[in-house]
Amino acid sequence: VNQVLSEMTIDEKISLIMLQSAPISMAGKIAAFEKYGIPSVEFADGPAGLRIDTPTIGYPSGTTLASTWNNKTVENLLKYLGDDCRDFGVEMILAPGMNIQKNILNGRNFEYFSEDPFLTGMMAASYTKGVQSTGVSVSLKHYAANNQETNRYSVSAELTERALREIYLRGFDYAVELSDPHSVMTAYNKIMGVHAGQHKGIIDILRGEFNFNGFVMTD
């Protein structure tokens, strides 16, 4: 990795971290650099099945999956979603959503598992195991304290460290420990005035305490 980085130009490095449009994906892709042996990686959303520009199979939403209280059922079902990704050339699905269902007016609550961190973490681990068993990566999202869609680009979540750790980060801790996800996606919102993707405190917790060694991406 260090050798490749030393050989890349500034423009190439910038291109590597910028999302490009993809043929069928609603999310995009990372450009390939054949001379460095870096393949393209295509992303797609997946709140209830693969979200791309062509009809695909619909799957139960996060809330419905969590209502089973059955880890094995969720894991087995999500293997089929991983197969769908492979069939359409999607290397990473931007899911599962692990936001806590705190605000009942949040229109995306159906994507998320629960208002309980333990159930959320267990379901996310099963989701991850199912999808990644097929060779497709997941990206746990949105890390962290993403409670609302309204003004989510600018809103700041104001909370104590205890609430952050016991409610909003605990599920990610379980999922990372139990299922080794390949990626975590940071949230749009700020946490105590600092954008989540630039918040050294929560990234240090993810890396240092949860021992996450995968790919951290912004929303």
Side-chain angles (χ1 to χ4, degrees), residues 1-61:
V1 171
N2 289 334
Q3 179 182 346
V4 169
L5 288 175
S6 68
E7 295 175 2
M8 295 182 80
T9 67
I10 294 296
D11 287 343
E12 287 174 334
K13 291 176 181 178
I14 292 172
S15 295
L16 189 61
I17 62 172
M18 291 180 64
L19 209 58
Q20 300 183 351
S21 60
I24 62 170
S25 173
M26 294 289 285
K29 67 178 181 180
I30 292 177
F33 291 89
E34 294 183 3
K35 66 179 179 179
Y36 301 119
I38 300 174
S40 173
V41 179
E42 186 164 338
F43 306 103
D45 283 319
L50 189 58
R51 182 187 174 202
I52 55 177
D53 296 333
T54 189
T56 58
I57 296 172
Y59 288 82
S61 66

Coordinates of all heavy atoms in Angstrom, one line a residue, residues 1-61:
V1 N 0.8 -1.2 0.0 CA 0.0 0.0 0.0 C 0.9 1.3 0.0 O 0.6 2.2 -0.8 CB -1.0 0.0 1.2 CG1 -1.7 1.4 1.3 CG2 -2.0 -1.1 1.1
N2 N 1.9 1.3 0.9 CA 2.8 2.4 0.9 C 3.5 2.7 -0.4 O 3.7 3.8 -0.8 CB 3.8 2.3 2.1 CG 3.1 2.4 3.4 OD1 2.1 3.0 3.6 ND2 3.7 1.7 4.4
Q3 N 3.9 1.6 -1.0 CA 4.6 1.7 -2.3 C 3.7 2.3 -3.4 O 4.1 3.2 -4.1 CB 5.1 0.4 -2.8 CG 5.8 0.5 -4.1 CD 6.3 -0.9 -4.6 OE1 6.3 -1.8 -3.9 NE2 6.7 -1.0 -5.9
V4 N 2.4 1.8 -3.4 CA 1.5 2.4 -4.4 C 1.2 3.8 -4.1 O 1.2 4.7 -5.1 CB 0.1 1.5 -4.4 CG1 -0.9 2.2 -5.2 CG2 0.4 0.1 -4.9
L5 N 1.0 4.2 -2.9 CA 0.7 5.6 -2.6 C 1.8 6.5 -2.9 O 1.6 7.6 -3.4 CB 0.4 5.7 -1.1 CG -1.0 5.2 -0.6 CD1 -1.1 5.3 0.9 CD2 -2.1 5.9 -1.3
S6 N 3.0 6.0 -2.8 CA 4.2 6.9 -3.1 C 4.3 7.1 -4.6 O 4.9 8.1 -5.0 CB 5.5 6.2 -2.6 OG 5.8 5.0 -3.3
E7 N 3.7 6.2 -5.4 CA 3.8 6.3 -6.9 C 2.6 7.1 -7.5 O 2.7 7.6 -8.6 CB 3.9 4.9 -7.5 CG 5.1 4.1 -7.1 CD 5.1 2.7 -7.7 OE1 4.1 2.4 -8.4 OE2 6.1 1.9 -7.4
M8 N 1.6 7.2 -6.7 CA 0.4 7.9 -7.3 C 0.5 9.4 -7.3 O 1.1 10.0 -6.3 CB -0.9 7.5 -6.4 CG -1.3 6.0 -6.5 SD -2.8 5.7 -5.6 CE -4.0 6.2 -6.7
T9 N 0.0 10.0 -8.3 CA 0.0 11.5 -8.3 C -1.2 12.0 -7.4 O -2.0 11.3 -7.0 CB -0.3 12.0 -9.7 OG1 -1.6 11.6 -10.1 CG2 0.7 11.4 -10.7
I10 N -1.1 13.3 -7.1 CA -2.2 13.9 -6.3 C -3.5 13.8 -7.0 O -4.5 13.4 -6.3 CB -1.9 15.4 -6.1 CG1 -0.6 15.6 -5.2 CG2 -3.1 16.1 -5.4 CD1 -0.7 15.1 -3.8
D11 N -3.6 14.0 -8.3 CA -4.9 13.8 -9.0 C -5.4 12.4 -8.9 O -6.6 12.2 -8.8 CB -4.7 14.2 -10.5 CG -4.6 15.7 -10.7 OD1 -4.9 16.5 -9.7 OD2 -4.1 16.2 -11.7
E12 N -4.5 11.4 -9.0 CA -4.9 10.0 -8.9 C -5.4 9.7 -7.5 O -6.5 9.0 -7.3 CB -3.8 9.1 -9.2 CG -3.4 9.1 -10.7 CD -2.2 8.3 -11.0 OE1 -1.3 8.2 -10.1 OE2 -2.1 7.8 -12.1
K13 N -4.8 10.3 -6.5 CA -5.3 10.0 -5.1 C -6.6 10.7 -4.9 O -7.5 10.1 -4.2 CB -4.3 10.6 -4.1 CG -2.9 9.9 -4.0 CD -2.0 10.6 -3.1 CE -0.6 9.8 -3.0 NZ 0.4 10.5 -2.2
I14 N -6.8 11.8 -5.4 CA -8.1 12.5 -5.3 C -9.2 11.7 -6.0 O -10.3 11.5 -5.5 CB -8.1 13.9 -5.9 CG1 -7.2 14.8 -5.0 CG2 -9.5 14.5 -6.0 CD1 -6.9 16.2 -5.6
S15 N -8.9 11.2 -7.2 CA -9.9 10.3 -8.0 C -10.2 9.1 -7.2 O -11.3 8.6 -7.3 CB -9.3 10.0 -9.3 OG -9.1 11.1 -10.1
L16 N -9.3 8.6 -6.4 CA -9.5 7.3 -5.7 C -10.5 7.5 -4.6 O -11.2 6.5 -4.2 CB -8.2 6.8 -5.1 CG -8.2 5.4 -4.5 CD1 -8.5 4.4 -5.5 CD2 -6.8 5.1 -3.9
I17 N -10.7 8.7 -4.1 CA -11.6 8.9 -3.0 C -12.9 9.6 -3.4 O -13.7 10.0 -2.6 CB -11.0 9.6 -1.8 CG1 -10.5 11.0 -2.2 CG2 -9.8 8.8 -1.2 CD1 -10.0 11.9 -1.0
M18 N -13.0 9.8 -4.7 CA -14.2 10.5 -5.2 C -15.1 9.5 -5.9 O -14.7 8.6 -6.6 CB -13.9 11.6 -6.2 CG -13.2 12.8 -5.7 SD -12.8 14.0 -6.9 CE -14.4 14.5 -7.5
L19 N -16.4 9.6 -5.6 CA -17.4 8.6 -6.1 C -17.7 9.0 -7.6 O -18.0 10.2 -7.8 CB -18.7 8.6 -5.3 CG -19.5 7.3 -5.3 CD1 -18.6 6.2 -4.8 CD2 -20.7 7.5 -4.4
Q20 N -17.7 8.1 -8.5 CA -18.1 8.3 -9.9 C -19.4 7.6 -10.2 O -19.9 6.7 -9.5 CB -17.0 7.7 -10.8 CG -15.6 8.4 -10.5 CD -14.6 7.9 -11.5 OE1 -14.9 6.9 -12.3 NE2 -13.4 8.5 -11.5
S21 N -20.1 8.1 -11.2 CA -21.3 7.4 -11.6 C -21.1 6.0 -12.2 O -20.0 5.7 -12.7 CB -22.0 8.3 -12.7 OG -21.2 8.4 -13.9
A22 N -22.0 5.2 -11.9 CA -21.9 3.8 -12.3 C -23.1 3.4 -13.3 O -24.1 4.1 -13.2 CB -21.9 2.9 -11.1
P23 N -22.9 2.4 -14.1 CA -23.9 2.1 -15.1 C -25.3 1.8 -14.6 O -26.3 2.3 -15.1 CB -23.4 0.9 -15.9 CG -22.0 0.8 -15.4 CD -21.8 1.5 -14.2
I24 N -25.4 1.0 -13.6 CA -26.7 0.6 -13.0 C -27.0 1.0 -11.6 O -28.1 0.9 -11.1 CB -27.0 -0.9 -13.2 CG1 -25.9 -1.7 -12.3 CG2 -26.9 -1.4 -14.6 CD1 -26.2 -3.2 -12.2
S25 N -25.9 1.4 -10.9 CA -26.0 1.6 -9.5 C -26.6 3.0 -9.2 O -26.3 4.0 -9.8 CB -24.6 1.5 -8.8 OG -24.7 1.9 -7.5
M26 N -27.4 3.0 -8.1 CA -27.9 4.3 -7.6 C -26.9 5.1 -6.8 O -27.1 6.2 -6.4 CB -29.2 4.1 -6.8 CG -30.4 3.5 -7.6 SD -31.1 4.7 -8.7 CE -32.0 5.7 -7.6
A27 N -25.8 4.4 -6.4 CA -24.9 5.0 -5.5 C -23.6 5.5 -6.2 O -23.1 6.6 -6.0 CB -24.5 4.1 -4.4
G28 N -23.0 4.6 -7.0 CA -21.8 5.0 -7.7 C -20.7 4.0 -7.6 O -20.9 2.9 -7.1
K29 N -19.5 4.4 -8.0 CA -18.3 3.5 -7.9 C -17.0 4.2 -7.7 O -17.0 5.5 -7.9 CB -18.2 2.7 -9.2 CG -17.9 3.5 -10.4 CD -17.7 2.7 -11.7 CE -17.3 3.5 -12.9 NZ -17.2 2.7 -14.1
I30 N -16.0 3.5 -7.3 CA -14.7 4.0 -7.2 C -13.9 3.6 -8.5 O -14.0 2.5 -8.9 CB -13.9 3.5 -5.9 CG1 -14.6 4.0 -4.7 CG2 -12.4 3.8 -6.0 CD1 -14.0 3.5 -3.4
A31 N -13.2 4.6 -9.0 CA -12.5 4.3 -10.3 C -11.4 3.2 -10.1 O -10.8 3.1 -9.1 CB -11.8 5.6 -10.8
A32 N -11.2 2.5 -11.2 CA -10.1 1.5 -11.2 C -8.8 2.1 -11.7 O -8.8 3.1 -12.5 CB -10.5 0.4 -12.2
F33 N -7.7 1.6 -11.1 CA -6.4 2.0 -11.6 C -5.6 0.8 -11.9 O -4.9 0.2 -11.0 CB -5.7 2.8 -10.5 CG -6.3 4.2 -10.2 CD1 -7.3 4.3 -9.3 CD2 -5.8 5.3 -10.9 CE1 -7.8 5.6 -9.1 CE2 -6.3 6.5 -10.7 CZ -7.4 6.7 -9.8
E34 N -5.7 0.3 -13.1 CA -5.1 -0.9 -13.5 C -3.6 -1.0 -13.4 O -3.1 -2.0 -13.0 CB -5.5 -1.2 -15.0 CG -7.0 -1.5 -15.2 CD -7.3 -1.8 -16.7 OE1 -6.4 -1.9 -17.5 OE2 -8.5 -2.0 -17.0
K35 N -2.9 0.1 -13.6 CA -1.5 0.1 -13.5 C -1.0 -0.1 -12.1 O 0.2 -0.5 -11.8 CB -0.9 1.4 -14.0 CG -1.2 2.7 -13.3 CD -0.5 3.9 -13.9 CE -0.9 5.2 -13.2 NZ -0.2 6.4 -13.9
Y36 N -1.9 0.2 -11.1 CA -1.5 -0.1 -9.7 C -2.2 -1.4 -9.2 O -2.1 -1.7 -8.0 CB -2.0 1.1 -8.8 CG -1.3 2.4 -9.2 CD1 -2.1 3.5 -9.6 CD2 0.1 2.6 -9.1 CE1 -1.5 4.7 -9.9 CE2 0.6 3.8 -9.5 CZ -0.1 4.8 -9.9 OH 0.4 6.0 -10.2
G37 N -3.0 -2.0 -10.0 CA -3.7 -3.2 -9.6 C -4.9 -2.9 -8.7 O -5.3 -3.8 -7.9
I38 N -5.5 -1.7 -8.8 CA -6.6 -1.3 -8.0 C -7.9 -1.5 -8.8 O -8.0 -0.8 -9.9 CB -6.5 0.1 -7.5 CG1 -5.2 0.3 -6.6 CG2 -7.7 0.5 -6.7 CD1 -5.0 1.7 -6.2
P39 N -8.8 -2.4 -8.5 CA -10.0 -2.6 -9.3 C -11.1 -1.6 -8.9 O -11.0 -0.9 -7.9 CB -10.5 -4.0 -8.8 CG -10.0 -4.1 -7.4 CD -8.7 -3.3 -7.3
S40 N -12.0 -1.4 -9.8 CA -13.2 -0.6 -9.5 C -14.1 -1.3 -8.5 O -14.1 -2.5 -8.4 CB -14.0 -0.3 -10.8 OG -15.2 0.4 -10.5
V41 N -14.7 -0.5 -7.6 CA -15.6 -1.0 -6.6 C -16.9 -0.3 -6.8 O -17.0 0.9 -6.7 CB -15.1 -0.8 -5.2 CG1 -16.1 -1.3 -4.1 CG2 -13.7 -1.5 -5.0
E42 N -18.0 -1.0 -7.0 CA -19.3 -0.4 -7.3 C -20.2 -0.6 -6.0 O -20.2 -1.7 -5.5 CB -20.0 -1.1 -8.5 CG -21.3 -0.4 -8.9 CD -21.7 -0.8 -10.3 OE1 -20.9 -1.2 -11.1 OE2 -22.9 -0.6 -10.5
F43 N -20.8 0.5 -5.7 CA -21.7 0.5 -4.5 C -23.2 0.6 -4.9 O -23.5 1.2 -6.0 CB -21.4 1.8 -3.6 CG -20.0 1.9 -3.2 CD1 -19.1 2.8 -3.9 CD2 -19.4 1.1 -2.2 CE1 -17.8 3.0 -3.5 CE2 -18.1 1.3 -1.9 CZ -17.3 2.2 -2.5
A44 N -24.0 0.1 -4.1 CA -25.5 0.2 -4.2 C -26.1 0.3 -2.9 O -25.7 -0.3 -1.9 CB -26.1 -0.9 -5.1
D45 N -27.2 1.1 -2.8 CA -28.0 1.1 -1.5 C -28.8 -0.2 -1.5 O -29.0 -0.9 -2.5 CB -28.9 2.3 -1.5 CG -28.1 3.6 -1.2 OD1 -27.3 3.5 -0.3 OD2 -28.4 4.6 -1.8
G46 N -29.3 -0.5 -0.3 CA -30.1 -1.7 -0.1 C -31.0 -1.7 1.1 O -30.9 -2.6 2.0
P47 N -31.9 -0.7 1.3 CA -32.8 -0.7 2.5 C -33.8 -1.8 2.5 O -34.2 -2.3 3.6 CB -33.5 0.7 2.4 CG -33.5 1.0 0.9 CD -32.2 0.4 0.4
A48 N -34.2 -2.3 1.4 CA -35.1 -3.5 1.3 C -34.9 -4.3 0.0 O -35.8 -4.6 -0.7 CB -36.6 -3.0 1.4
G49 N -33.7 -4.6 -0.2 CA -33.3 -5.2 -1.5 C -32.3 -4.3 -2.2 O -32.0 -3.2 -1.8
L50 N -31.8 -4.8 -3.3 CA -30.8 -4.1 -4.0 C -31.4 -2.9 -4.8 O -32.3 -3.1 -5.6 CB -30.1 -5.0 -5.0 CG -28.9 -4.5 -5.8 CD1 -27.8 -4.1 -4.8 CD2 -28.3 -5.6 -6.7
R51 N -30.9 -1.7 -4.5 CA -31.5 -0.5 -5.1 C -30.6 0.0 -6.3 O -29.6 0.6 -6.2 CB -31.6 0.6 -4.1 CG -32.2 1.9 -4.6 CD -32.0 3.0 -3.6 NE -32.5 4.3 -4.1 CZ -32.2 5.5 -3.6 NH1 -31.3 5.5 -2.6 NH2 -32.6 6.6 -4.1
I52 N -31.1 -0.4 -7.5 CA -30.4 -0.1 -8.7 C -31.4 0.3 -9.8 O -32.6 0.3 -9.5 CB -29.5 -1.2 -9.2 CG1 -30.3 -2.5 -9.4 CG2 -28.3 -1.5 -8.3 CD1 -29.5 -3.7 -10.0
D53 N -30.9 0.7 -11.0 CA -31.8 1.2 -12.0 C -32.5 0.1 -12.8 O -32.8 0.3 -14.0 CB -31.0 2.1 -13.0 CG -30.5 3.3 -12.3 OD1 -31.1 3.7 -11.3 OD2 -29.4 3.8 -12.7
T54 N -32.8 -1.0 -12.2 CA -33.5 -2.1 -12.9 C -34.2 -2.9 -11.8 O -33.8 -2.9 -10.6 CB -32.5 -3.0 -13.6 OG1 -33.3 -3.9 -14.4 CG2 -31.6 -3.8 -12.7
P55 N -35.4 -3.5 -12.1 CA -36.1 -4.2 -11.1 C -35.3 -5.3 -10.4 O -34.6 -6.1 -11.1 CB -37.3 -4.8 -11.9 CG -37.5 -3.9 -13.0 CD -36.1 -3.5 -13.4
T56 N -35.4 -5.4 -9.1 CA -34.7 -6.5 -8.4 C -35.7 -7.0 -7.3 O -36.8 -6.5 -7.1 CB -33.5 -5.9 -7.7 OG1 -33.9 -4.9 -6.8 CG2 -32.4 -5.5 -8.7
I57 N -35.2 -8.1 -6.6 CA -36.1 -8.7 -5.6 C -36.2 -7.8 -4.4 O -35.2 -7.2 -3.9 CB -35.4 -10.1 -5.2 CG1 -35.4 -11.0 -6.4 CG2 -36.2 -10.7 -4.0 CD1 -34.6 -12.3 -6.1
G58 N -37.4 -7.7 -3.9 CA -37.7 -7.0 -2.6 C -37.5 -7.9 -1.4 O -38.0 -9.0 -1.4
Y59 N -36.8 -7.4 -0.4 CA -36.6 -8.1 0.8 C -37.3 -7.4 2.0 O -37.6 -6.2 1.9 CB -35.1 -8.3 1.1 CG -34.4 -9.2 0.2 CD1 -34.0 -8.8 -1.1 CD2 -34.2 -10.6 0.5 CE1 -33.4 -9.7 -2.0 CE2 -33.6 -11.4 -0.4 CZ -33.2 -11.0 -1.6 OH -32.6 -11.9 -2.5
P60 N -37.5 -8.1 3.1 CA -38.1 -7.4 4.3 C -37.2 -6.3 4.7 O -36.0 -6.4 4.7 CB -38.1 -8.6 5.3 CG -38.2 -9.8 4.5 CD -37.3 -9.6 3.3
S61 N -37.8 -5.2 5.2 CA -37.1 -4.1 5.7 C -36.4 -4.4 7.0 O -36.6 -5.5 7.6 CB -38.0 -2.9 5.9 OG -38.9 -3.2 7.0

